[in-house]
Amino acid sequence: MAPLLSSRLLLPLLLAGGLTACVSVGPDYRAPAVAVPPAWQAVPLEGAATAPDGLANWWEQLADPQLSALVSDALAANPDLDAARAALRAARASRDATAAQRAPSVGASGGVTRSTALGAQRTLYDAGFDAAWELDVFGGLRRAVEAADADRAAALADLRATRVSLVAEVALNYIDLRAAQMRLAIARANLESQSETLQITQWRSQAGLASALDVEQARSNRESTRAQIPTLDTARAAAEHRLAVLTGRTPGSLHDVLAVADSARAGLLPVLPASVGVSIPAEALRQRPDIAAAERRLAAASARVGQAEAARYPAFSLSGSIGLQALGLSTFTGGGQVARSLAASVSGPVFDAGRLRAQVEVQDALREQQLAAYRKAVLGALEDVQNALVALSDTRLREAALTGAADAARNAALYARHRYTSGLIDFQTVLSTERSLLTIEDNLASAEAARLTALIQLYKALGGGWSPGDATETQAPESTP
C-alpha cells in the first residue's frame, strides 16, 4: 500500500509533477518518407488535364442525371456508409473518454447509519466528496490521447474512403447495367435480322434455289444468337439488383426506373468528358483517404509504444476527501464533525519477469506492421492510377478500331444478303458476315463500357468522390481538453 504523506510533502510533489509535465517517453512520431515519382509514366491520353477538375463530384462530368440520382441515393442510405459514420462517432467518443483520464475525478457520497448499542439507538448521517488525480509524469496518458487522436482521424479517413468506394461502385454497376442493356439490344436486333435470313433461305429452298443444309445452318445461326440473350439478361439483372442494394433498397425495386426499350442502343451509356483531370503523384496520394487512414494508424501505433513504455515507470497520484458527520439532520450544518484527508502516493514495478518490457516490444512490432501497411498502401495507390491511365488509353484505341470494324461489318452483312438473294454467292458467306457482325457489335458495346469503366477506376484511384466538410461526415465538435 502506498504510504500516506503529510501535507508538507504535497507542494514538492506538485512542483515535481509540473516540472516533468512535458516529459513523454517513447518515440516522437514523424510521418515516414516515401519515394514518389515526379510524374506518371508517359501515357498517350487525349485531353488529359494537368490538375484534377471537379474531383469531389466527378460523376457529374458524365452528364447522366440518372447516375447522379443513384449516387445521391447511395450517399444518403447506404448501410456501409452508415456503419462508417457510427465508427467515426465511436472513435470521437473514445478519444474524449481517454482525454478525460488526464483530469481529476471527483465523487460525492452520502448515507445514513442506524445502530444499537447497550439498548440505545443511534443514527449517524454522513456526506462527503472524494477527489483523485494521477500525475502524468512520464506522458503515458498524453501518449494515449495522441493515439486516440490518430484513431479518430483514421476513422474519419475511413469514412471518406468508404464514400470514394461507394460512389465508384455505383458508377461501375451502372455502366455494367447499361452495357448489358446495349448488348441485349444488339443481340435482339441480330436475332431479328437472322430470322429474316432464315425466312429468305426457306423461300429459296421451296423454290429449289437453296438446299436443306442452308436452311438448317440459318436456323442454327439464329438459335445460337437467341441462346446469348438469357446470359446477358442475367448480367443486366445482377447489376440492377446491386444498384438497388447500394442505394439502400431491396433487389428488384429499381427495375421500372432503370428499364429501357428492347431496341434501345444509342444514348444508354454516359457521355465521356472532354478532358480528364490527372494530378501529379504526390497530390494524388494526399487526396487518397485510404492513404491518410494508413498513415494515422501508423501514428496511433507509434504513440502506443510510448504508452507501453510509460507503464514501466513509477506512477504518482494525489487523492483527498472531505466529509461531514452528524447525529441529526438539524445539527448537520452547524454541529457536524468535519473530516479531511489528503494523500500522495507513488507506485512502480519492482519485478514483473519482463512482462512490461515485452508489452513495449509487442507495440513496437505492431508499429512496424502499420509502417509496412502504409508503404503497401502508397505503392498500391500508385499502381491503381498507372493501371487506370493505361486502361483508359488502350480502351480508347480499341473503341476507335471497333467502330470502324462495326461499320464495315454492317455493310458486309447487307451486301452478302443481297448477293445471296440474287444467287451470286453461297450461303456460307452470309453466315460468316452475320456472325462477324454480331461479334463485332457486341465487342464494340463492351469496349465503350470498358472505356467508361477505366475512367471511373481512374477517378477512384485518384481519390475522387469526397471533399472536406461533406454532408456524409458527422459534425461533432472536436474538443481538446
Side-chain angles (χ1 to χ4, degrees), residues 41-56:
Q41 180 181 350
V43 174
L45 183 63
E46 277 191 358
T50 57
D53 181 21
L55 198 57

Side-chain angles (χ1 to χ4, degrees), residues 1-7 10 13-14 104-107 129-135 316-322 340-346:
M1 181 179 296
L4 183 64
L5 302 182
S6 68
S7 59
L10 179 59
L13 187 58
L14 288 174
S105 61
V106 180
F129 292 91
D130 300 305
W133 182 30
E134 181 179 346
L135 300 176
F316 300 87
S317 61
L318 299 174
S319 61
S321 64
I322 182 171
R340 303 181 183 88
S341 69
L342 182 64
S345 64
V346 56

Side-chain angles (χ1 to χ4, degrees), residues 329-403:
L329 289 175
S330 60
T331 60
F332 200 73
T333 58
Q337 182 180 359
V338 178
R340 303 181 183 88
S341 69
L342 182 64
S345 64
V346 56
S347 63
V350 176
F351 176 76
D352 63 1
R355 179 180 61 85
L356 294 177
R357 184 184 296 275
Q359 287 297 323
V360 175
E361 186 68 20
V362 168
Q363 293 300 327
D364 191 59
L366 293 175
R367 180 193 62 80
E368 289 195 9
Q369 288 182 17
Q370 293 298 333
L371 177 60
Y374 172 71
R375 289 174 174 167
K376 179 181 178 181
V378 170
L379 293 175
L382 296 174
E383 179 186 19
D384 290 344
V385 176
Q386 193 64 67
N387 287 344
L389 285 171
V390 173
L392 188 58
S393 176
D394 288 348
T395 53
R396 177 182 62 83
L397 298 176
R398 175 175 168 80
E399 182 185 345
L402 285 171
T403 299

Side-chain angles (χ1 to χ4, degrees), residues 85-428:
R85 292 191 193 101
L88 176 57
R89 286 180 54 213
R92 284 172 169 167
S94 178
R95 189 269 176 197
D96 292 341
T98 301
Q101 298 178 35
R102 300 182 62 188
S105 61
V106 180
S109 62
V112 179
T113 303
R114 179 169 294 177
S115 61
T116 303
L118 300 176
Q121 287 189 344
R122 189 175 74 166
T123 302
L124 179 66
Y125 298 88
D126 65 89
F129 292 91
D130 300 305
W133 182 30
E134 181 179 346
L135 300 176
D136 192 20
V137 176
F138 296 101
L141 290 176
R142 285 191 293 277
R143 292 300 192 192
V145 174
E146 183 181 333
D149 274 331
D151 286 338
R152 178 182 58 181
L156 177 58
D158 284 339
L159 172 59
R160 291 168 173 171
T162 301
R163 177 186 168 105
V164 169
S165 297
L166 174 62
V167 170
E169 191 173 358
V170 170
L172 289 171
N173 279 276
Y174 184 77
I175 298 303
D176 288 344
L177 170 71
R178 292 312 190 198
Q181 290 171 333
M182 283 183 62
R183 295 175 67 193
L184 275 169
I186 290 170
R188 285 166 176 151
N190 277 270
L191 179 65
E192 182 178 353
S193 176
Q194 290 166 9
S195 296
E196 293 175 359
T197 300
L198 173 61
Q199 190 175 42
I200 293 172
T201 307
Q202 290 172 334
W203 289 341
R204 287 177 57 82
S205 176
Q206 293 171 0
L209 301 176
S211 66
L213 176 62
D214 290 347
V215 174
E216 294 306 314
Q217 286 180 327
R219 181 178 289 109
S220 173
N221 193 41
R222 184 190 66 176
E223 295 307 310
S224 295
T225 300
R226 191 195 303 276
Q228 297 180 22
I229 292 177
T231 301
L232 293 173
D233 191 61
T234 298
R236 176 206 59 75
E240 177 190 295
H241 297 163
R242 186 61 187 154
L243 285 171
V245 172
L246 289 172
T247 55
R249 299 180 174 95
T250 57
S253 57
L254 290 178
H255 179 73
D256 293 339
V257 176
L258 297 174
V260 295
D262 289 346
S263 60
R265 294 170 60 179
L268 285 179
L269 289 174
V271 179
L272 279 164
S275 64
V276 180
V278 183
S279 57
I280 61 174
E283 184 62 33
L285 293 183
R286 282 191 290 269
Q287 176 70 17
R288 289 270 298 233
D290 58 330
I291 301 295
E295 188 273 334
R296 287 291 83 199
R297 289 192 176 93
L298 173 60
S302 178
R304 290 191 173 97
V305 175
Q307 186 181 358
E309 182 70 29
R312 301 178 59 201
Y313 290 82
F316 300 87
S317 61
L318 299 174
S319 61
S321 64
I322 182 171
L324 186 64
Q325 294 180 340
L327 295 176
L329 289 175
S330 60
T331 60
F332 200 73
T333 58
Q337 182 180 359
V338 178
R340 303 181 183 88
S341 69
L342 182 64
S345 64
V346 56
S347 63
V350 176
F351 176 76
D352 63 1
R355 179 180 61 85
L356 294 177
R357 184 184 296 275
Q359 287 297 323
V360 175
E361 186 68 20
V362 168
Q363 293 300 327
D364 191 59
L366 293 175
R367 180 193 62 80
E368 289 195 9
Q369 288 182 17
Q370 293 298 333
L371 177 60
Y374 172 71
R375 289 174 174 167
K376 179 181 178 181
V378 170
L379 293 175
L382 296 174
E383 179 186 19
D384 290 344
V385 176
Q386 193 64 67
N387 287 344
L389 285 171
V390 173
L392 188 58
S393 176
D394 288 348
T395 53
R396 177 182 62 83
L397 298 176
R398 175 175 168 80
E399 182 185 345
L402 285 171
T403 299
D407 290 337
R410 293 186 194 101
N411 292 333
L414 181 63
Y415 295 153
R417 182 184 295 180
H418 287 324
R419 290 174 66 83
Y420 174 71
T421 304
S422 303
L424 300 177
I425 58 175
D426 61 14
F427 189 64
Q428 290 297 324

